[in-house]
């Protein structure tokens, strides 16, 4: 238990740390990777290079510190992060390393302003916050369908729209694919071309068909300097018959609403992947589903054939493609035609798309709490905790 004095010091110093957040994060990663280069096999080097998501870890420690009196408030957000950590195989023994270098970075950046009292208080607070993660992740390791990463053979690859490919894989090792939940993702580990480290990425599962295979889709990320290390290799270097490694399916995004309500599944770009799994699953259960997909033009729409087939086969399914080239941006006006109190909203896409849709929904008095969502990026960057 933290003392009242420790909690007070932590809460009072959060604003200072927030002010120097970017600097602290930069020093933290730099020093940590110098001392522990093996961690470059877990962390996303493309994110590091682009400065993207780099602050998520430190920002979350600060966000959690604000709730140091009642850490249970962060549990819903920790759950999503803990799933990612488990999928990446972040282990209990990694936490003291992150703690050590986060504290050293605070000291290095703040200098004398970071007194012994302040540093001791933060050390204790980090231990408490890390404890919440470690406990939650322990339960996830126990529940996971298999340990570590296992080999899978690619059995099919198909183009989806202009920038995505779908992959179908089956286990090489003797493992059983668990019953999948629409909304889950898998984590791929490969050794990218011309790179010394392993690289890990999460990709959503697009079908929960139970036939001993796993199906996920990969968007080709960025070009030139900003080229995605893993997505480009998967698109250009991998073929049917090759093997990749996967950790067990993970994630807490799932359909959990009242069966009598209609579902509005709203996605953009690669956000289509978990939504297609939900559409397929719920359509066959007889649920009324309105599937809306936003993209630039018809040629870019991934899984169009699959979605159109589900639409044709199921009277309870309605499909709208919102194509920006001819329809412009999706506005609250259009959204209002599809939403009423008997509709539950599910949203998936990149951070920019999600931010825009939340702004439009706000005009209809619909807040984040009324929407089930999964951003392709850290959830805490668009929620308020
Ligand atoms: C991702 C927080 C400890 C490795 C993340 C994300 C957050 C976070 C918010 C982004 C999740 C998302 O994309 O939705 C934290 C906090 C920690 C902690 C608050 C300590 C209390 C660790 C440790 C490791 C680790 C100990 C391993 C050494 C990673 C990795 C990612 C990640 C590899 C994926 C993003 C990337 O590769 O840059 N963490 N984390 N984290 N975390 Fe942690």
């Amino acid at each position: 238990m933290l003392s009242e004095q420790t909690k007070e010091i932590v809460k009072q110093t959060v604003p200072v740390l927030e002010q120097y957040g970017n600097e602290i994060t930069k020093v933290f990663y730099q020093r940590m990777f110098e001392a522990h280069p093996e961690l470059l096999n877990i962390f996303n080097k493309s994110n590091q290079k682009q400065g993207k998501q780099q602050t998520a870890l430190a920002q979350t420690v600060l966000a959690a510190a604000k709730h140091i009196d009642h850490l249970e408030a962060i549990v819903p957000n920790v759950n999503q992060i803990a799933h990612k950590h488990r999928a990446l195989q972040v282990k209990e023994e990694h936490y003291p390393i992150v703690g050590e270098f986060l504290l050293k970075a605070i000291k290095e950046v703040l200098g004398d302003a970071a007194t012994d009292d302040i540093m001791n208080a933060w050390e204790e607070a980090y231990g408490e916050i890390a404890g919440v993660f470690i406990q939650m992740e322990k339960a996830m390791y126990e529940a996971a369908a298999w340990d570590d990463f296992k080999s899978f053979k690619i059995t099919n690859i198909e183009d989806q729209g202009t920038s995505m490919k779908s992959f179908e894989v089956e286990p090489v090792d003797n493992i059983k694919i668990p019953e999948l939940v629409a909304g889950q993702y898998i984590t791929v580990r490969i050794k990218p071309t011309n790179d010394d480290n392993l690289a890990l990425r999460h990709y959503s599962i697009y079908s929960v068909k139970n036939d001993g295979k796993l199906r996920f889709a990969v968007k080709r990320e960025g070009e030139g300097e900003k080229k995605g290390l893993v997505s480009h290799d998967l698109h250009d270097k991998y073929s049917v018959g090759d093997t990749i490694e996967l950790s067990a399916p993970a994630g807490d995004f799932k359909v959990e609403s009242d069966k009598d309500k209609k579902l509005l599944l709203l996605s953009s770009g690669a956000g289509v992947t978990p939504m297609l799994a939900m559409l397929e699953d719920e359509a066959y259960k007889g649920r009324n589903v309105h599937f809306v997909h936003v993209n630039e033009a018809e040629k870019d729409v991934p899984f169009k054939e699959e979605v159109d087939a589900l639409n044709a086969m199921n009277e309870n399914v309605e499909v709208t493609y919102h194509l920006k080239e001819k329809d412009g941006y999706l506005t609250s006006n259009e959204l209002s035609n599809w939403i009423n109190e008997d509709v539950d909203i599910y949203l998936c896409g990149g951070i920019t798309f999600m931010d825009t849709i939340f702004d439009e929904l706000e005009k209809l008095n619909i807040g984040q709490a009324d929407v089930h969502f999964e951003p392709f990026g850290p959830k805490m960057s668009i929620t308020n905790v």
Side-chain angles (χ1 to χ4, degrees):
M1 275 297 269
L2 300 181
S3 70
E4 284 309 313
Q5 197 197 356
T6 299
K7 289 181 193 170
E8 227 15 72
I9 297 177
V10 167
K11 283 194 287 183
Q12 274 172 12
T13 46
V14 166
V16 186
L17 264 57
E18 277 179 333
Q19 198 186 334
Y20 292 97
N22 284 346
E23 240 174 299
I24 293 172
T25 307
K26 225 171 106 193
V27 173
F28 157 65
Y29 279 113
Q30 196 180 332
R31 302 278 180 263
M32 184 170 75
F33 292 142
E34 276 162 15
H36 291 275
E38 76 281 4
L39 291 180
L40 286 168
N41 291 313
I42 307 185
F43 279 87
N44 180 332
K45 285 212 283 199
S46 300
N47 281 351
Q48 297 288 323
K49 233 195 271 173
Q50 295 165 23
K52 214 168 58 173
Q53 206 185 8
Q54 225 192 44
T55 51
L57 197 161
Q59 254 171 13
T60 306
V61 172
L62 294 181
K66 285 185 197 161
H67 297 274
I68 198 75
D69 281 338
H70 49 106
L71 276 179
E72 65 284 355
I74 64 162
V75 164
N77 287 297
V78 172
N79 193 47
Q80 191 227 17
I81 302 163
H83 270 285
K84 291 200 174 164
H85 281 163
R86 200 285 298 150
L88 297 160
Q89 300 292 297
V90 170
K91 297 280 171 67
E92 186 170 349
E93 57 267 28
H94 291 129
Y95 280 86
I97 304 176
V98 163
E100 180 191 340
F101 286 92
L102 203 52
L103 289 165
K104 281 186 173 159
I106 293 173
K107 183 71 197 167
E108 189 174 329
V109 173
L110 298 188
D112 290 344
T115 61
D116 287 350
D117 282 350
I118 292 177
M119 292 312 298
N120 290 337
W122 273 96
E123 187 177 347
E124 280 186 59
Y126 173 81
E128 200 84 353
I129 295 164
V132 176
F133 280 78
I134 291 169
Q135 202 186 355
M136 208 176 264
E137 286 158 22
K138 199 167 165 213
M140 291 176 182
Y141 276 105
E142 280 162 16
W146 63 85
D147 289 337
D148 205 354
F149 283 83
K150 299 278 186 253
S151 291
F152 282 74
K153 189 165 85 177
I154 300 173
T155 52
N156 193 30
I157 303 177
E158 279 175 38
D159 284 324
Q160 301 294 346
T162 42
S163 62
M164 285 179 75
K165 283 191 183 203
S166 55
F167 289 77
E168 193 184 86
V169 299
E170 64 183 22
V172 172
D173 301 317
N174 188 20
I175 51 161
K176 195 172 172 302
I177 310 281
E179 201 173 311
L180 301 168
V181 179
Q184 284 185 311
Y185 54 84
I186 47 82
T187 303
V188 173
R189 182 168 77 178
I190 62 164
K191 172 94 177 30
T193 320
N194 303 328
D195 201 274
D196 296 335
N197 296 108
L198 295 167
L200 280 57
R201 294 294 181 273
H202 308 294
Y203 296 112
S204 290
I205 291 168
Y206 68 82
S207 171
V208 294
K209 226 175 271 160
N210 189 358
D211 61 354
K213 296 196 176 192
L214 280 170
R215 296 171 175 83
F216 58 93
V218 179
K219 179 173 173 243
R220 184 189 277 275
E221 294 288 351
E223 290 300 334
E225 279 276 282
K226 299 202 162 172
K227 178 170 142 171
L229 268 184
V230 179
S231 66
H232 279 251
D233 263 16
L234 286 175
H235 271 239
D236 301 335
K237 306 263 160 61
Y238 282 78
S239 319
V240 171
D242 290 343
T243 53
I244 53 174
E245 291 182 314
L246 303 183
S247 67
D252 60 354
F253 189 44
K254 59 174 188 271
V255 174
E256 48 195 338
S257 43
D258 185 344
K259 280 202 166 43
D260 295 334
K261 288 191 169 183
K262 183 172 180 169
L263 297 179
L264 172 64
L265 303 180
L266 185 51
S267 66
S268 165
V272 69
T273 328
M275 295 303 192
L276 174 59
M278 289 180 182
L279 172 67
E280 185 193 45
D281 204 29
E282 296 296 325
Y284 286 127
K285 288 180 189 159
R287 182 81 168 257
N288 287 326
V289 187
H290 184 187
F291 178 93
V292 178
H293 181 68
V294 180
N295 220 316
E296 281 307 318
E298 190 167 322
K299 66 177 175 20
D300 302 313
V301 175
F303 297 108
K304 189 164 184 310
E305 229 173 85
E306 286 79 354
V307 171
D308 288 345
L310 285 166
N311 191 15
M313 280 187 298
N314 295 282
E315 272 182 15
N316 48 326
V317 170
E318 187 185 339
V319 172
T320 305
Y321 297 113
H322 181 99
L323 304 174
K324 283 190 261 180
E325 156 186 278
K326 64 179 180 63
D327 304 320
Y329 281 97
L330 184 56
T331 64
S332 55
N333 253 350
E334 202 170 350
L335 286 167
S336 70
N337 295 326
W338 306 330
I339 298 171
N340 60 47
E341 60 199 19
D342 293 323
V343 173
D344 267 331
I345 309 168
Y346 285 76
L347 187 59
C348 187
I351 300 285
T352 315
F353 168 74
M354 310 275 286
D355 277 342
T356 316
I357 297 296
F358 278 129
D359 285 348
E360 294 303 307
L361 287 173
E362 213 174 291
K363 295 179 192 162
L364 305 173
N365 290 323
I366 296 167
Q368 278 187 7
D370 306 315
V371 179
H372 304 262
F373 63 100
E374 173 103 322
F376 283 164
K379 199 167 192 171
M380 272 189 164
S381 62
I382 54 170
T383 50
N384 300 324
V385 179

